[in-house]
């Protein structure tokens, strides 16, 4: 019964599978399914290839033990990255997660993709692919899902040696495709296998009669030679599917491979650096190092996408005019630094009403938490913007710009006598706006402290004498009045 189901899925149906894998299938399982040896007549003269043994995940390593070690998660999670394995023969339907008897179902992959997309703790998806392809049915819908997910979370594909046909259709939807030097991918084409048993039946003295209703009901049956009209119809169908395949690749690799370029490959396969040169992949690297790079990108994106709340939520009404004046000092030209009289010295303010101005650098930038609802909305919008294809350069430029601005603010604060640890601000993701507000608050508090009289004049201690200049001015004024 199982062999009948395999035969129904393998013969007379379009497949996105690498041709040598189809030949290996016929060599190994053909006699068991058809009851006799199989003579192969595959156009193009592709060489036979042995089936690879199933392997454990490279990226997740020993962490992968189905979903038992991860609670209800149908995938392993490494540093906030969901590792989704796509291996073996790819089939449309299958009520399981991950591999089963060398097969992976689009249904199971889709379930993992959706779970990772909706899980807040998952910040990125890694597709670990080692497949020679599989069925056409279901692959393009799954490709669309992967492409949609990457608008919210980064998706990288790691080719663990092979990503052919349907496997490449899925890999091409990732933001980046990485493969080792020996890795291979491509085969953007479609194949249909037809078994002609008529000659063998004649030798055995057997005749099969198919009673049917409808002219095309028995098209492609294995008991008669394949008519030219039926062959032409099958050819038109797979040509159309190949165009759809190329459109899907072009949509996933927008700006890196066009539909025309995908069709121009003529279903060829590419290995290592040749795959990158052809536009089918982005980088040749050891997958462990590639995954480490992805972890850094995900961490950096998360840091930049979650801005801190302003360090000072409230302001005393008396500080408004002072903050306005100080903003010109911090934002404007350095020639205005004298516009703030008596800039506070950390040593002078110790023990007074504003001791925070002389605190250690580690205490200069307090930890604050934004409102959860606001932070969630801000994070979602920022991540969607940051993970668009091609935005890595923009992300890097933004990081450099913010680092330069924070360094400038720290230098200006130092001239005011306020110590700022710029490196700590960068590590904690403090925004320039929040840091500028913090400096204004500290400078304003220090200025207020100088205006506060901490105690009434002592009746015992001698009082300070009147300034000679003021005394002379008073005498001159009195003499003028008398004159």
């Amino acid at each position: 019964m199982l062999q009948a189901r395999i035969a129904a899925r393998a013969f007379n149906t379009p497949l996105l599978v690498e041709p040598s894998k189809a030949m290996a299938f016929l060599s190994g399982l053909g006699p068991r399914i058809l009851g006799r040896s199989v003579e192969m007549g595959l156009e193009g003269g592709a060489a036979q290839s042995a089936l690879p043994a199933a392997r454990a995940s490279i990226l997740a390593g020993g962490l992968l033990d189905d979903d038992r070690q991860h609670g209800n998660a149908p995938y392993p999670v490494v540093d906030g990255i969901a590792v989704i394995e796509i291996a073996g023969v790819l089939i449309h339907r299958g009520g399981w997660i991950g591999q089963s008897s060398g097969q992976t179902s689009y249904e199971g992959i889709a379930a993992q993709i959706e779970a990772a997309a909706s899980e807040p703790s998952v910040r990125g998806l890694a597709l670990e692919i080692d497949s020679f392809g599989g069925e056409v049915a279901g692959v393009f819908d799954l490709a669309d899902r992967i492409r949609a997910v990457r608008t919210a979370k980064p998706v990288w594909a790691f080719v663990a040696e092979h990503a052919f046909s349907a496997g490449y259709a899925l890999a091409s939807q990732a933001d980046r495709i990485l493969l080792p030097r020996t890795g291979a991918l491509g085969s953007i084409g479609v194949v249909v296998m037809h078994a002609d048993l008529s000659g063998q039946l004649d030798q055995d003295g057997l005749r099969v009669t198919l009673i049917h209703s409808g002219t095309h009901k028995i098209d492609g049956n294995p008991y008669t030679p394949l008519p030219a009209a039926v062959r032409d119809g099958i050819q038109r169908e797979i040509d159309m599917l190949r165009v759809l395949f190329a459109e899907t690749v072009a949509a996933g690799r927008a700006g890196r491979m066009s539909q025309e370029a995908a069709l121009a490959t003529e279903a060829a396969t590419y290995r290592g650096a040749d795959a990158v040169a052809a536009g089918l992949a982005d980088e040749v690297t050891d997958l462990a190092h590639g995954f480490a790079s992805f972890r850094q990108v995900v961490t950096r994106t998360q840091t930049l996408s979650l801005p801190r709340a302003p360090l000072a939520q409230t302001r005393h009404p008396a500080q408004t005019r002072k903050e306005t004046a100080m903003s010109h000092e911090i934002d404007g030209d350095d020639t205005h630094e004298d516009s703030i009289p008596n800039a506070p010295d950390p040593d002078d303010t110790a023990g007074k009403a504003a001791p925070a101005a002389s605190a250690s650098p580690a205490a200069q930038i307090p930890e604050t938490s934004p409102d959860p609802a606001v932070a969630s909305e801000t994070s979602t919008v920022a991540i969607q913007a940051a993970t668009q294809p091609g935005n890595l350069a923009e992300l890097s430029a933004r990081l450099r710009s913010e680092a330069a601005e924070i360094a400038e603010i720290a230098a200006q604060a130092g001239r005011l006598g306020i110590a700022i640890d710029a490196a700590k601000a960068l590590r904690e993701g403090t925004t320039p706006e929040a840091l500028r507000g913090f400096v204004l608050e500290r400078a304003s508090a220090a200025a207020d402290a100088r205006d506060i009289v901490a105690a009434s004049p002592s009746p015992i201690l001698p009082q300070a004498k009147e300034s000679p200049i003021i005394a002379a001015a008073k005498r001159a004024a009195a003499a003028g009045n008398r004159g």
Side-chain angles (χ1 to χ4, degrees):
M1 192 65 183
L2 175 61
Q3 295 174 355
R5 290 203 301 271
I6 294 175
R9 277 185 156 167
F11 294 98
N12 295 339
T13 185
L15 300 174
L16 293 185
V17 63
E18 204 272 333
S20 63
K21 187 57 58 177
M23 294 182 66
F25 168 81
L26 288 177
S27 298
L29 295 181
R32 297 174 60 186
I33 294 174
L34 303 177
R36 55 181 52 82
S37 61
V38 178
E39 180 181 349
M40 290 169 286
L42 184 64
E43 296 180 1
Q48 296 188 15
S49 174
L51 284 166
R55 293 180 298 185
S57 170
I58 293 175
L59 303 183
L63 296 177
L64 184 59
D65 184 16
D66 294 331
D67 57 353
R68 289 185 291 274
Q69 293 185 4
H70 307 280
N72 295 324
Y75 42 72
V77 178
V78 181
D79 291 342
I81 299 174
V83 179
I84 298 175
E85 189 177 9
I86 301 173
V89 178
L90 306 180
I91 66 173
H92 182 25
R93 301 297 300 274
W96 64 82
I97 298 296
Q99 278 198 82
S100 176
S101 301
Q103 298 177 334
T104 303
S105 71
Y106 299 139
E107 186 178 13
I109 298 170
Q112 295 175 82
I113 293 289
E114 295 299 328
S118 60
E119 174 55 51
S121 64
V122 172
R123 303 191 303 271
L125 286 76
L127 307 181
E128 184 181 340
I129 303 175
D130 191 2
S131 172
F132 281 78
E135 295 180 342
V136 169
V139 67
F140 297 124
D141 289 339
L142 178 56
D144 291 343
R145 290 192 186 189
I146 296 173
R147 190 168 67 252
V149 166
R150 81 183 200 194
T151 63
K153 298 181 180 181
V155 180
W156 284 23
F158 298 84
V159 178
E161 295 305 327
H162 306 101
F164 292 137
S165 259
Y168 183 72
L170 302 182
S172 66
Q173 304 310 297
D175 293 301
R176 286 181 63 79
I177 301 176
L178 287 72
L179 76 165
R181 290 173 295 175
T182 57
L185 45 74
S187 190
I188 305 175
V190 189
V191 62
V192 170
M193 294 187 292
H194 174 264
D196 183 357
L197 305 181
S198 59
Q200 185 67 44
L201 292 175
D202 288 341
Q203 293 180 11
D204 295 342
L206 299 176
R207 183 177 300 276
V208 177
T209 301
L210 299 176
I211 302 173
H212 62 283
S213 177
T215 305
H216 300 288
K217 184 64 177 178
I218 60 172
D219 282 356
N221 76 84
Y223 308 116
T224 58
L226 190 64
V230 176
R231 180 187 182 90
D232 292 343
I234 295 175
Q235 186 65 56
R236 284 193 299 271
E237 179 184 7
I238 63 177
D239 286 344
M240 178 194 68
L241 289 172
R242 178 168 167 254
V243 171
L244 178 56
F245 191 169
E247 288 178 352
T248 301
V249 171
R253 295 190 61 75
R256 292 165 290 180
M257 171 163 276
S258 64
Q259 178 182 340
E260 293 74 17
L263 290 172
T265 64
E266 292 294 342
T269 60
Y270 299 81
R271 189 176 299 277
D274 291 338
V276 176
L280 277 75
D282 299 292
E283 183 180 352
V284 174
T285 182
D286 172 74
L287 294 190
H289 287 90
F291 189 65
S293 298
F294 187 34
R295 290 158 65 182
Q296 292 177 359
V297 169
V298 169
T299 301
R300 184 166 66 247
T301 301
Q302 183 73 1
T303 300
L304 293 179
S305 300
L306 296 174
R308 293 178 178 271
L311 292 176
Q313 300 292 340
T314 59
R315 291 288 189 273
H316 192 280
Q319 298 176 355
T320 304
R321 290 189 300 275
K322 295 177 182 178
E323 289 182 0
T324 303
M326 290 179 187
S327 65
H328 294 296
E329 151 62 17
I330 294 179
D331 292 330
D333 189 85
D334 289 344
T335 57
H336 295 287
E337 64 182 355
D338 294 333
S339 62
I340 303 178
N342 300 322
D345 188 312
D347 295 333
D348 293 341
T349 57
K352 294 187 180 180
S358 61
S360 64
Q364 289 294 324
I365 306 173
E367 295 289 335
T368 58
S369 299
D371 179 79
V374 176
S376 177
E377 182 178 356
T378 303
S379 171
T380 301
V381 174
I383 290 176
Q384 289 176 347
T387 56
Q388 291 291 338
N391 273 14
L392 290 178
E394 180 181 343
L395 205 61
S396 178
R398 174 184 169 189
L399 180 63
R400 291 194 299 271
S401 176
E402 288 190 358
E405 191 172 357
I406 286 177
E408 182 180 357
I409 293 173
Q412 293 168 343
R415 290 194 290 271
L416 295 175
I418 301 174
I420 292 294
D421 189 341
K424 181 173 183 290
L426 286 171
R427 286 195 304 270
E428 296 182 349
T430 305
T431 63
E433 292 77 14
L435 190 61
R436 184 178 290 109
F438 174 76
V439 172
L440 290 172
E441 181 186 21
R442 287 290 182 249
S444 179
D448 284 344
R450 291 195 303 274
D451 297 333
I452 297 174
V453 178
S456 58
S458 172
I460 301 174
L461 297 175
Q463 302 299 312
K465 294 182 180 180
E466 185 177 42
S467 169
I469 296 176
I470 295 177
K474 288 181 177 179
R475 290 194 298 271
N481 291 335
R482 288 194 299 271

